[in-house]
Amino acid sequence: MAHFPKPAEGSWTEHYPGLGTGPVSYKDSYDPDYWQQEIDAIFKKEWLCVGRVERLGRAGSYFTREFPWAKRSILVVKDREGTVRAFYNVCRHRGNKLVWDDFPNEETSGVCRQLTCKYHGWRYDLDGSLVFIQQESEFFDVDKDSLGLVPVACDVWEGFIFVNLDPEPQQTLAEALAPLADGLAGYPFGEMTQTYEVRSEIDSNWKLFIDAFVEFYHAPVLHQRQATAEESQKLASIGFEGLHYELFSPHSMVSSWGGMSPPKDPSMVKPIENLLRSGLFGPWDKPAAVNDNQDLPPLLNPSKHRAWGIDSFVLWPNFMILFWETGWYLTYTYWPLGPSKHLFETTLNFVPPENASQRASQEFAFSTFKEYAFQDANTLEATQTMIESEVVDTFMLNDQEILCRHHHAAVREQVKAGGRPASYPWMPGSENGGGG
Amino acid sequence: MSDTTAAPLPADFADLDPFADWALDTWRERYEKRLDSTMDEMQAFYDAMMPRLSEALEYCDSFDLHDLPDEARNLLLLTFSLCEASFPVEAWRQPRVPDSGSADLEMVREPPL
């Protein structure tokens, strides 16, 4: 029996009739040809988040991002007017990588007045224009104005920097993120600058980790021993039900309960959690920036449930933001490195601590998160190898896994269309909507 | 007392001197020390730290977090290491996360202390 109300259709999944309820093929998660189609139709067409504006403190601040899946390196830089710009990281002279340190394939960051090529000293201004050629008179018919760095479409939403490899993006960033762009605007991201950032190369398709983080059906089982014995028995017998699921295709969200921060009874959590007042849900004491009285952006806690704990949003195609009721946020980014390999990046973002106790609470929240991530990551490799064995060709997805079903379906629609499709057959208002 | 310790602790916390080698600057060092420790070593560290944890944080709270004296900073780093050691002791009964196999995480950026 449902502990939380479901839509009138009887399930979250059937609320979107065209999504189907049958078993699902996971061939999209290991087939090399399909992977290449995803790169071409999705990753080379969509706005991709590459970091926060806080990484670019002043004019001349820059960082690079490596996109081996597109054989590209991206240079993100703040110009003298304060505008964030992105360029391909390649010198116009003879193609040397413009900005790198020690190892050409590793990302780097820093501050500079101009961008100078290590090879022959060509220099570019922060707006990408070529300003100096070593021994310019030795060249033939040089037009410096036509030899600026090759720009990459770049825009900023709520302090998150996005780039788009499409020379003429189908949509603006705001259009691509609608309705999340407005519905999540106003969250105090800019005050949560105390950041832990970790990454890991994982031997699974990028979609499998999204699957793992858009359903909590696994949590009472896989993470069973992270809770006290009594709590984990209770969780396992009840299972998991989301408070709310919603599709904003291709984006999506799941809203979940919390309630352990602080717990009703101290015996519900481990001894150190009581002393540090922190745990998986983060520090128990909310920062002033997100106190109880502050209005949350309209898309958060959609069921307005008093037990609300966390909302997980998938910002299409490979970026997630998790908003915790306790007043901090997580991001996950999944970069495809091959049909069976991806780079997973995550950030934990807190309001800077005012004292040592708050600092220790945040450290423990990071430590706890990482214990869970280890369990999640390793499970993915076990899944990847077995779906590749093709012993079983379709898999069962339940109603609490609607976002897994949806993400794979949205990928399929975009691969089919060769770019962002005009509509999705399961969404209300679609010409195929309700068709089943 | 602790005159030869690499990481001096505040005089009131001299009972933690035997564990001063857990005062490590980065998460990676703390995590690796956890993996390199036996359960007995971590249990001893946990048993010594837990009863002093609240007092230790109270002591550190008496200073500006951005201008901690070395002794207070070392003490705070011990509490960070306790975060790491608590999982094997309170949950896993082994240093590694069970079933975590070859999984590893690279710390790209962490808040300085």
Side-chain angles (χ1 to χ4, degrees):
Chain A
M1 197 186 82
H3 293 80
F4 303 117
K6 291 191 175 192
E9 294 86 348
S11 72
W12 299 101
T13 310
E14 290 161 294
H15 185 57
Y16 302 94
L19 206 51
T21 54
V24 170
S25 164
Y26 266 70
K27 191 161 188 185
D28 66 354
S29 298
Y30 59 88
D31 182 83
D33 294 335
Y34 195 85
W35 182 80
Q36 189 57 52
Q37 291 175 54
E38 287 180 339
I39 297 297
D40 295 339
I42 300 174
F43 285 89
K44 289 184 176 174
K45 295 279 173 78
E46 289 289 343
W47 291 93
L48 306 171
C49 184
V50 292
R52 288 281 308 171
V53 290
E54 286 82 12
R55 288 197 65 192
L56 303 174
R58 54 192 169 97
S61 295
Y62 64 84
F63 61 82
T64 63
R65 294 305 309 258
E66 297 303 316
F67 287 177
W69 46 270
K71 294 194 174 70
R72 299 275 199 279
S73 173
I74 312 289
L75 172 63
V76 182
V77 59
K78 187 184 240 182
D79 73 13
R80 267 177 253 290
E81 280 70 50
T83 305
V84 179
R85 295 173 179 268
F87 304 99
Y88 288 112
N89 189 11
V90 52
C91 179
R92 292 297 303 264
H93 168 219
R94 246 168 64 204
N96 189 36
K97 182 177 272 196
L98 186 64
V99 178
W100 55 279
D101 291 318
D102 290 331
F103 299 97
N105 291 327
E106 289 185 6
E107 296 179 347
T108 184
S109 62
V111 186
C112 66
R113 295 165 68 91
Q114 290 183 325
L115 299 153
T116 306
C117 185
K118 293 175 192 288
Y119 203 173
H120 302 92
W122 284 36
R123 291 206 301 269
Y124 302 84
D125 204 358
L126 302 178
D127 64 3
S129 54
L130 176 63
V131 292
F132 175 77
I133 296 177
Q134 175 79 10
Q135 292 170 263
E136 184 174 344
S137 61
E138 297 281 349
F139 284 87
F140 310 94
D141 303 322
V142 170
D143 173 16
K144 286 222 285 286
D145 289 344
S146 69
L147 292 171
L149 296 176
V150 179
V152 180
C154 180
D155 202 355
V156 176
W157 169 76
E158 294 289 304
F160 294 99
I161 303 166
F162 290 76
V163 298
N164 191 322
L165 301 192
D166 191 341
E168 291 176 25
Q170 277 179 282
Q171 299 171 298
T172 65
L173 175 60
E175 288 166 353
L177 288 179
L180 307 188
D182 290 338
L184 296 175
Y187 190 79
F189 295 111
E191 296 188 52
M192 300 178 182
T193 55
Q194 184 85 349
T195 295
Y196 296 77
E197 180 175 347
V198 294
R199 60 166 60 179
S200 184
E201 273 191 20
I202 295 181
D203 288 330
S204 90
N205 185 272
W206 64 285
K207 295 188 295 303
L208 292 196
F209 216 165
I210 298 184
D211 283 351
F213 280 140
V214 293
E215 59 91 357
F216 296 101
Y217 172 55
H218 75 272
V221 182
L222 180 64
H223 305 307
Q224 188 176 145
R225 287 175 62 194
Q226 304 253 20
T228 60
E230 199 184 334
E231 254 327 277
S232 76
Q233 274 168 18
K234 203 164 74 188
L235 289 169
S237 67
I238 296 171
F240 174 83
E241 288 174 31
L243 289 176
H244 187 86
Y245 293 89
E246 194 155 349
L247 306 184
F248 312 93
S249 300
H251 316 291
S252 59
M253 73 88 68
V254 48
S255 185
S256 175
W257 42 263
M260 299 281 278
S261 36
K264 284 194 285 281
D265 174 356
S267 73
M268 290 167 70
V269 300
K270 293 179 291 185
I272 193 170
E273 296 180 46
N274 282 306
L275 293 179
L276 290 176
R277 301 184 58 74
S278 183
L280 180 65
F281 280 62
W284 298 348
D285 302 305
K286 268 189 212 174
V290 278
N291 65 43
D292 288 321
N293 300 321
Q294 179 163 323
D295 286 338
L296 292 167
L299 287 182
L300 292 191
N301 187 14
S303 63
K304 305 297 168 210
H305 203 286
R306 60 187 168 75
W308 178 61
I310 176 177
D311 282 353
S312 309
F313 284 81
V314 178
L315 285 77
W316 183 259
N318 68 331
F319 183 49
M320 288 182 67
I321 306 179
L322 281 69
F323 299 87
W324 301 80
E325 187 271 341
T326 37
W328 60 289
Y329 77 93
L330 259 172
T331 68
Y332 300 137
T333 318
Y334 314 84
W335 300 103
L337 295 178
S340 309
K341 196 179 192 63
H342 76 278
L343 176 67
F344 169 67
E345 297 177 337
T346 184
T347 68
L348 289 75
N349 306 274
F350 303 98
V351 171
E354 290 168 4
N355 57 40
S357 293
Q358 291 178 8
R359 179 71 169 77
S361 287
Q362 294 177 0
E363 193 73 21
F364 186 68
F366 167 75
S367 272
T368 306
F369 164 81
K370 166 265 300 165
E371 300 287 302
Y372 281 76
F374 271 130
Q375 291 185 310
D376 289 314
N378 214 44
T379 303
L380 299 179
E381 300 185 11
T383 307
Q384 183 72 34
T385 51
M386 290 302 101
I387 60 171
E388 285 186 22
S389 75
E390 296 188 324
V391 170
V392 179
D393 58 6
T394 56
F395 296 93
M396 306 292 291
L397 293 175
N398 71 32
D399 200 30
Q400 303 296 331
E401 294 167 307
I402 174 178
L403 297 197
C404 307
R405 188 185 292 277
H406 170 256
H407 200 78
H408 289 260
V411 165
R412 187 166 64 239
E413 292 296 317
Q414 185 146 348
V415 164
K416 203 163 66 186
R420 184 80 75 98
S423 64
Y424 296 86
W426 53 84
M427 290 301 282
S430 159
E431 53 198 66
N432 302 318
Chain B
M1 291 272 295
S2 60
D3 52 336
T4 57
T5 324
L9 296 173
D12 286 352
F13 293 88
D15 54 312
L16 300 176
D17 280 344
F19 305 97
D21 58 340
W22 284 90
L24 299 165
D25 276 330
T26 65
W27 169 76
R28 187 77 218 175
E29 293 169 286
R30 298 188 286 273
Y31 178 63
E32 282 179 3
K33 180 151 177 71
R34 158 185 167 177
L35 296 187
D36 292 343
S37 296
T38 65
M39 283 309 298
D40 285 347
E41 287 166 341
M42 271 187 284
Q43 187 73 51
F45 175 53
Y46 179 90
D47 289 343
M49 280 295 290
M50 283 294 276
R52 307 300 312 275
L53 180 55
S54 297
E55 292 162 276
L57 291 174
E58 201 175 311
Y59 175 84
C60 295
D61 282 347
S62 68
F63 301 100
D64 177 353
L65 178 61
H66 306 291
D67 193 21
L68 287 176
D70 283 349
E71 290 83 359
R73 184 173 178 278
N74 290 333
L75 185 60
L76 186 55
L77 288 173
L78 284 192
T79 72
F80 295 177
S81 279
L82 178 65
C83 293
E84 279 305 317
S86 74
F87 298 98
V89 172
E90 293 185 346
W92 308 133
R93 307 285 157 204
Q94 64 179 51
R96 281 191 78 88
V97 179
D99 294 335
S100 68
S102 58
D104 201 3
L105 290 174
E106 176 197 350
M107 178 69 83
V108 181
R109 259 180 293 283
E110 65 187 312
L113 182 65

